[in-house]
């Protein structure tokens, strides 16, 4: 408004002051009578040179003072944002330009920001020190700051700019922030859902309703980007269950009047449910065995349609074709709906795709983890032929590190250029970039475990470990065990890529004092160190080597101890070397839901020292979903045998079962025992197998509560002792039980109840076990 008034003022001055009263000349006459600018004088400027002001004007010395030139000059000066006010007047043949300069920002500060630091806010604002201050720029920065807070879930935020005047036309700019509370999601509703109730659909999306136990997560704060992701999760949930026509009609978020929460409403159109029809493969690639490829397709005719099975079939086909050398294929699934019959026919079209090579591999989202830690898990390198199977395996290996909650890979045409024949540049059409985006998870563990035994009372374990030390992928662990019958300290370090090769190396230091008075009437002191290394033999098969040197001391043997224990009293030095083989195709080595793992290991004692034996162990485990994806069955089996070479096997080298190894029995609670003294003697051969089914208990999935039922079956025999008082039948023991686990805000808790179903009279039972842990 002020600039408009100035324009009108200049028009009146120039258009009226120089003309005779009551005279209305035509345009030509007005131009002839308008004065000529003899001088332009600039007033009010402090920092800006007069010549600079004049350079912006549309009028110059020698021009006539025309209103349109004055108007254009005023607009040009205001457009520079250098001036808060500009006036122009005529003094005879002199044009006087008076300016009021905008101040310069001396400093920018933030007050009241507690959840977001100054560095992040400074990166969002456009204004900077030594930049000209304008109110329009300040308001733009205010809106940017508000958007930053809204993205973090604070929609009640207010930002008020304050200006502090300084000398020499400078100002300090202070943004006063009132962050307000986190804006939660009070209620999530669904409209149009018939097949699945609201509770099921709430579990399918990432956004959660605000509850007190979610104080360690931000999923219950409103985030527009997360709501968009939730729509995709809903689509996947339905299409995996046969609803191929499903769509989200709308997702509406309504803010409560007090600005503290949102009501989130999804309107969905489920459509009808389909079954798989016929499957077909059409190939344009010569010499392909179509009949073999059909055998690896997922899904069956008549089964419920599942979009994930189609995606997995495409990956499986790509993987197989990649193994046979067909690196450049394009597989497109074509769907043919029969709405009347409710079936979908699927045709996989295999065509020769464009030859593509990986130009660059870009990694984002890793704040702590070094790039090289991720890159070394890739099975494909920059410059290699594009291979979807190798990319899939790379993603799986990065996930198996256990460092990330999310690992996503996308591809995009490379923006590289190459020179033409005459020096021109053109895009490289046969090259693509792989973009991996990760979201890191906590890799440090602080675990506090408490175990209860009717025989051993309470045992406390405290472990601090970091699986991604300094972002280098190194593993460091320190553990203490403090109990009335056992004190233990362990220090362990592992470098997964020793000397830059796929060769892990590490060491262990340990000292253990075990009070076996209630078990076998003696106390054991064990101290020493170990060296180990591991390396892959194939993609899924790995090997390990280890060496250990330790001293075992059996002391404080009770006066009423078994004679077979008293014979063991004294000190021994063990120098052992061993190896292990592991074949692992589980989907996750930490929380597996599918796949299996096989392990075989041997250890030889006698490379120096005073003890000689050969120990062999083997184990197998398999995991698979049953009934539904969240019902996970696990089967495990383990066997071991130790043979003395020359001397008999000492009691501290034998196997013991019970406690965590065999639920329902106390530690060392089953197996050979001297019934005269009730001392456990251990065995040289054992076998144990377990079956467990983990399942949801009906509470919301994000509550973290799951149940399980299990059974353990096994035996322990051959103590190498012949005596009427020693009971070692080698009979099979069986136990069963159930458990509850809760991933609480303070950490994981586990409760187990187990009872022996088949046992011997001399075995020692344990019914209840409890453990608690917390993570950081």
């Amino acid at each position: 408004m002020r600039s408009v008034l100035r324009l009108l003022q200049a028009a009146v001055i120039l258009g009226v002051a120089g003309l005779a009263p009551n005279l209305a000349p035509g345009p030509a006459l007005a131009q002839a009578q308008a004065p000529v600018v003899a001088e332009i004088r600039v007033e009010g400027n402090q920092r800006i040179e007069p010549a600079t002001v004049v350079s912006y004007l549309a009028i110059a010395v020698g021009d006539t003072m025309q209103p349109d030139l004055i108007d254009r000059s005023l607009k040009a000066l205001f457009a520079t944002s250098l001036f808060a006010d500009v006036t122009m007047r005529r003094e005879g043949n002199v044009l006087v330009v008076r300016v009021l300069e905008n101040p310069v920002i001396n400093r920018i500060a933030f007050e009241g920001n507690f959840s977001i630091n100054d560095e992040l806010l400074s990166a969002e604002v456009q204004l900077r020190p030594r930049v000209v201050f304008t109110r329009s720029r300040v308001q733009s920065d205010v809106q940017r700051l508000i958007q930053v807070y809204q993205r973090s879930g604070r929609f009640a935020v207010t930002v008020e700019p304050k200006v502090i005047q300084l000398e020499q036309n400078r100002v300090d700019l202070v943004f006063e922030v009132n962050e307000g509370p986190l804006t939660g999601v009070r209620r999530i509703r669904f409209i149009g859902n018939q097949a699945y109730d609201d509770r099921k659909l709430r579990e399918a999306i990432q956004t959660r309703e605000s509850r007190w136990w979610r104080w360690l997560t931000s999923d219950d704060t409103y985030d527009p980007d997360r709501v968009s992701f939730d729509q995709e999760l809903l689509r996947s949930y339905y299409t995996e269950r046969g609803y191929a026509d499903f769509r989200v009609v709308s997702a509406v978020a309504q803010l409560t009047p007090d600005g503290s929460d949102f009501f989130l409403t999804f309107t969905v159109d489920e459509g009808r449910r389909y079954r798989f029809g016929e499957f077909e493969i059409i190939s344009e690639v010569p010499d392909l065995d179509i009949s073999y490829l059909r055998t690896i397709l997922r899904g069956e005719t008549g089964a419920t349609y599942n979009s994930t099975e189609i995606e997995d079939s495409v990956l499986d086909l790509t993987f197989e074709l990649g193994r046979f050398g067909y690196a450049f294929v394009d597989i497109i699934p074509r769907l043919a709906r029969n709405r009347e019959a409710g079936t979908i026919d699927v045709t996989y079209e295999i065509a020769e795709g464009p030859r593509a090579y990986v130009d660059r591999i870009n990694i984002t989202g890793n704040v702590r983890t070094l790039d090289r830690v991720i890159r070394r898990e890739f099975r494909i390198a920059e410059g290699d032929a594009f291979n979807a199977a190798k990319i899939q395996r790379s993603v799986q290996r990065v996930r198996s590190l256990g460092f990330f909650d999310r690992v996503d890979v996308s591809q995009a045409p490379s923006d590289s250029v190459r020179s033409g024949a005459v020096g021109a540049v053109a895009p490289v059409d046969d090259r693509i970039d792989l973009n991996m985006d990760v979201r890191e998870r906590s890799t440090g563990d602080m675990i506090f475990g408490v175990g209860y035994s009717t025989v051993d009372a309470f045992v406390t374990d405290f472990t601090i470990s970091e699986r991604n030390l300094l972002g280098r992928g190194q593993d460091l662990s320190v553990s203490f065990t403090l109990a009335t019958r056992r004190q233990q300290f362990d220090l362990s370090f592992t470098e997964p890529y020793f000397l830059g090769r796929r060769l892990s190396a590490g060491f262990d230091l340990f000292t253990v004092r075990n009070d076996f008075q209630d078990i076998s009437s003696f106390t054991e002191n064990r101290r020493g160190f170990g060296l180990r290394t591991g390396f892959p033999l194939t993609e899924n098969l790995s090997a390990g080597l280890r060496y250990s040197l330790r001293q075992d001391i059996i002391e404080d043997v009770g006066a009423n101890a078994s004679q077979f224990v008293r014979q063991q009293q004294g000190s021994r030095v063990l120098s052992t070397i061993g190896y292990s083989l592991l074949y692992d195709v589980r989907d996750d080595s930490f929380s597996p839901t599918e796949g299996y793992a096989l392990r075989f290991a041997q250890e030889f004692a006698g490379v120096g020292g005073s003890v000689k034996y050969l120990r062999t162990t083997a184990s197998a485990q398999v995991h698979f979903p049953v009934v539904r994806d969240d019902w996970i069955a696990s089967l495990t089996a383990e066997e071991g045998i130790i043979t003395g070479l020359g001397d008999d096997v000492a009691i501290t080298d034998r196997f013991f079962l019970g406690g965590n190894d065999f639920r329902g029995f106390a530690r060392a609670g089953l197996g050979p025992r001297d019934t005269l003294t009730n001392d456990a003697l251990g065995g040289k051969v054992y076998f144990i197998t377990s079956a467990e089914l983990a399942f949801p208990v009906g509470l919301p999935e994000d509550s973290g509560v799951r149940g399980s039922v299990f059974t353990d079956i096994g035996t322990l025999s051959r103590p190498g002792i012949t005596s009427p008082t020693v009971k070692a039948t080698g009979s099979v023991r069986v136990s069963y039980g159930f458990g509850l686990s809760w991933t609480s805000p303070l950490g994981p808790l586990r409760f187990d109840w187990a009872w022996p179903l088949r046992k011997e009279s001399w075995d020692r039972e344990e019914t209840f076990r409890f453990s608690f842990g917390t993570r950081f």
Side-chain angles (χ1 to χ4, degrees):
M1 180 62 73
R2 179 177 295 180
S3 61
V4 173
L5 294 176
R6 297 301 183 194
L7 292 173
L8 292 175
Q9 179 184 11
V12 171
I13 293 173
L14 298 177
V16 177
L19 301 177
N22 303 319
L23 183 61
L29 182 59
Q31 182 176 357
Q33 293 179 348
V36 176
V37 178
E39 180 187 353
I40 298 176
R41 186 167 68 246
V42 178
E43 298 178 351
N45 56 309
Q46 298 180 12
R47 303 184 314 275
I48 303 173
E49 294 294 330
T52 302
V53 177
V54 173
S55 68
Y56 288 114
L57 300 178
I59 191 171
V61 174
D63 294 340
T64 57
M65 295 187 185
Q66 297 296 322
D68 63 326
L69 296 178
I70 299 298
D71 176 68
R72 288 162 54 193
S73 298
L74 285 170
K75 290 179 178 178
L77 290 174
F78 278 111
T80 63
S81 298
L82 296 174
F83 309 105
D85 193 16
V86 180
T87 61
M88 302 178 72
R89 71 178 188 276
R90 170 191 159 198
E91 293 181 0
N93 290 339
V94 178
L95 179 61
V96 179
V97 181
R98 184 166 186 83
V99 297
L100 176 62
E101 295 177 350
N102 276 323
V104 172
I105 297 176
N106 176 63
R107 184 174 65 94
I108 298 178
F110 303 92
E111 294 182 357
N113 55 310
F114 301 104
S115 62
I116 303 179
N117 59 39
D118 288 2
E119 293 182 2
L120 292 177
L121 296 181
S122 297
E124 291 293 332
V125 299
Q126 300 295 316
L127 287 172
R128 292 288 183 270
R130 296 183 297 279
V131 172
V132 174
F133 171 92
T134 64
R135 296 190 180 277
S136 61
R137 291 181 178 176
V138 172
Q139 291 304 316
S140 296
D141 283 343
V142 167
Q143 294 304 313
R144 290 188 181 92
L145 294 176
I146 291 176
Q147 291 175 5
V148 171
Y149 274 97
Q150 289 180 347
R151 288 198 300 268
S152 66
R154 298 180 184 271
F155 281 79
V157 64
T158 60
V159 179
E160 184 177 357
K162 299 290 187 181
V163 178
I164 302 175
Q165 297 289 341
L166 303 175
E167 59 183 7
Q168 298 179 353
N169 201 24
R170 296 176 302 126
V171 295
D172 284 344
L173 177 59
V174 180
F175 292 99
E176 292 186 354
V177 181
N178 182 6
E179 295 181 332
L182 285 170
T183 308
V185 178
R186 184 176 300 179
R187 182 71 176 169
I188 302 176
R189 297 189 308 145
F190 298 87
I191 298 175
N193 54 310
Q194 300 294 328
Y196 303 100
D197 58 22
D198 285 13
R199 182 180 66 86
K200 289 290 185 183
L201 298 184
R202 290 191 197 103
E203 293 176 356
I205 63 178
Q206 184 176 355
T207 302
R208 296 288 183 255
E209 293 179 347
S210 298
R211 296 292 185 270
W212 67 267
W213 62 78
R214 298 195 177 102
W215 56 278
L216 287 179
T217 179
S218 62
D219 288 345
D220 60 343
T221 59
Y222 176 72
D223 185 343
D225 295 334
R226 188 186 298 127
V227 172
S228 298
F229 180 60
D230 288 338
Q231 297 181 56
E232 180 61 25
L233 291 177
L234 285 173
R235 188 198 68 81
S236 298
Y237 184 83
Y238 270 92
T239 56
E240 288 174 357
R241 290 160 176 79
Y243 296 88
D245 297 331
F246 173 84
R247 65 190 182 97
V248 178
V249 179
S250 64
V252 179
Q254 294 177 310
L255 188 63
T256 57
D258 60 359
S260 61
D261 290 301
F262 274 94
F263 288 100
L264 189 57
T265 304
F266 293 93
T267 302
V268 301
D269 180 8
E270 293 180 331
R272 70 165 300 166
R273 195 174 193 181
Y274 290 88
R275 292 174 290 105
F276 277 124
E278 299 298 326
F279 294 91
E280 187 58 58
I281 297 178
I282 300 176
S283 174
E284 298 178 3
V285 180
D287 302 327
L288 280 184
D289 186 355
I290 301 299
S291 59
Y292 167 72
L293 294 180
R294 286 197 182 99
T295 63
I296 66 175
L297 293 180
R298 304 197 184 193
E300 297 179 358
T301 299
T304 301
Y305 171 83
N306 188 330
S307 61
T308 301
E309 290 185 344
I310 295 178
E311 296 171 1
D312 291 342
S313 294
V314 171
L315 290 175
D316 291 344
L317 289 172
T318 305
F319 181 83
E320 288 299 315
L321 293 173
R323 286 201 312 124
F324 294 134
Y326 297 95
F328 305 102
V329 293
D330 190 13
I331 303 176
I332 302 175
R334 304 291 186 186
L335 308 182
R337 288 176 172 82
N338 186 332
R339 301 185 187 278
E340 294 181 359
T343 60
I344 295 179
D345 297 334
V346 184
T347 301
Y348 296 92
E349 297 181 358
I350 304 176
E352 291 193 42
R355 292 185 174 270
Y357 298 87
V358 177
D359 187 25
R360 284 194 296 264
I361 298 176
N362 304 312
I363 301 174
T364 58
N366 52 318
V367 179
R368 294 180 58 245
T369 308
L370 301 179
D371 268 20
R372 60 181 174 86
V373 174
I374 302 175
R375 290 182 184 275
R376 65 195 184 192
E377 300 299 329
F378 272 76
R379 301 281 74 86
I380 193 169
E382 294 173 343
D384 287 353
F386 178 83
N387 187 305
K390 290 185 177 181
I391 295 174
Q392 180 189 15
R393 178 57 179 161
S394 300
V395 172
Q396 184 180 14
R397 288 182 62 86
V398 173
R399 287 175 177 163
S400 297
L401 289 173
F403 302 162
F404 310 105
D405 282 326
R406 187 194 69 231
V407 180
D408 297 323
V409 170
S410 61
Q411 59 191 60
S414 175
D415 57 0
S416 298
V417 295
R418 59 186 171 200
S419 299
V422 291
V425 293
V428 180
D429 297 330
D430 61 349
R431 293 191 177 273
I432 62 173
D433 290 343
L434 292 181
N435 302 310
M436 173 174 282
D437 182 56
V438 299
R439 184 175 67 189
E440 293 180 321
R441 67 167 59 156
S442 172
T443 55
D445 293 334
M446 182 174 63
I447 300 176
F448 174 73
V450 179
Y452 174 78
S453 165
T454 55
V455 175
D456 300 324
F458 289 95
V459 177
T460 302
D461 296 299
F462 182 73
T463 302
I464 299 177
S465 64
E466 172 57 60
R467 292 179 285 109
N468 188 15
L469 185 65
L470 302 177
R472 301 174 181 271
Q474 299 167 337
D475 191 317
L476 178 65
S477 175
V478 180
S479 64
F480 302 88
T481 298
L482 302 175
T484 56
R485 300 180 180 91
R486 179 160 57 99
Q487 297 83 45
Q488 180 173 343
F489 168 79
D490 292 283
L491 173 64
S492 175
F493 175 80
T494 304
E495 166 56 62
Y497 273 75
F498 186 60
L499 300 178
R501 301 178 179 273
R502 294 184 63 188
L503 177 70
S504 66
F507 66 85
D508 303 284
L509 299 175
F510 54 87
T511 176
V512 185
R513 179 178 176 84
N514 283 314
D515 185 347
F516 292 126
Q517 295 295 334
D518 286 348
I519 296 175
S520 301
S521 301
F522 72 91
T523 299
E524 176 197 33
N525 280 313
R526 175 179 296 184
R527 62 180 64 91
F529 73 93
L531 302 175
R532 48 189 162 75
T533 182
F535 48 90
L537 299 175
T538 66
E539 190 63 35
N540 301 114
L541 179 63
S542 60
L545 299 174
R546 62 188 180 277
Y547 171 78
S548 175
L549 178 65
R550 75 175 193 262
Q551 181 187 36
D552 289 355
I553 302 175
I554 297 178
E555 58 187 8
D556 298 335
V557 179
N560 298 322
S562 168
Q563 61 173 324
F564 306 106
V565 176
R566 293 198 301 269
Q567 294 172 0
Q568 306 286 328
Q569 189 168 4
S571 174
R572 302 176 306 131
V573 176
L574 287 84
S575 178
T576 65
I577 187 170
Y579 72 93
S580 62
L581 296 172
L582 174 64
Y583 186 78
D584 191 352
V585 291
R586 294 173 296 177
D587 59 347
D588 192 312
S589 57
F590 296 96
S591 300
T593 61
E594 192 173 9
Y596 64 92
L598 306 174
R599 187 176 188 275
F600 179 83
Q602 284 191 308
E603 180 182 70
F604 170 71
V607 187
S610 57
V611 177
K612 293 183 179 182
Y613 65 72
L614 178 65
R615 182 200 304 265
T616 304
T617 57
S619 65
Q621 57 177 281
V622 59
H623 311 270
F624 53 92
V626 297
V627 184
R628 300 186 315 186
D629 291 341
D630 51 0
W631 290 58
I632 307 300
S634 300
L635 303 175
T636 62
E638 185 175 350
E639 184 177 11
I641 182 170
I642 183 170
T643 303
L645 303 177
D647 298 329
D648 195 13
V649 178
I651 189 172
T652 53
D653 296 324
R654 298 173 194 160
F655 301 112
F656 289 85
L657 288 183
N660 291 329
D661 300 322
F662 205 129
R663 290 161 290 191
F665 294 89
R667 185 176 59 131
L670 63 93
R673 187 177 300 275
D674 189 336
T675 56
L676 184 64
T677 62
N678 205 27
D679 289 333
L681 302 178
K684 294 188 286 186
V685 176
Y686 80 96
F687 174 79
I688 183 171
T689 181
S690 300
E692 183 167 346
L693 177 64
F695 52 86
V697 295
L699 296 176
E701 184 180 356
D702 62 305
S703 67
V705 179
R706 289 179 62 83
S708 64
V709 292
F710 56 82
T711 181
D712 295 337
I713 303 172
T715 183
L716 176 65
S717 62
R718 299 186 191 176
I721 301 172
T722 302
S723 172
T725 63
V726 175
K727 300 298 183 180
T729 63
S731 60
V732 174
R733 273 74 156 182
V734 180
S735 69
Y736 69 97
F738 67 91
L740 283 176
S741 62
W742 177 32
T743 307
S744 72
L746 298 178
L749 289 87
R750 171 94 185 186
F751 306 85
D752 285 315
W753 292 264
W755 298 268
L757 187 63
R758 181 175 178 179
K759 66 183 185 66
E760 297 292 350
S761 59
W762 57 84
D763 293 337
R764 305 172 74 173
E765 302 178 21
E766 178 186 76
T767 301
F768 173 71
R769 289 189 68 83
F770 162 76
S771 64
F772 165 76
T774 185
R775 295 178 178 270
F776 66 91

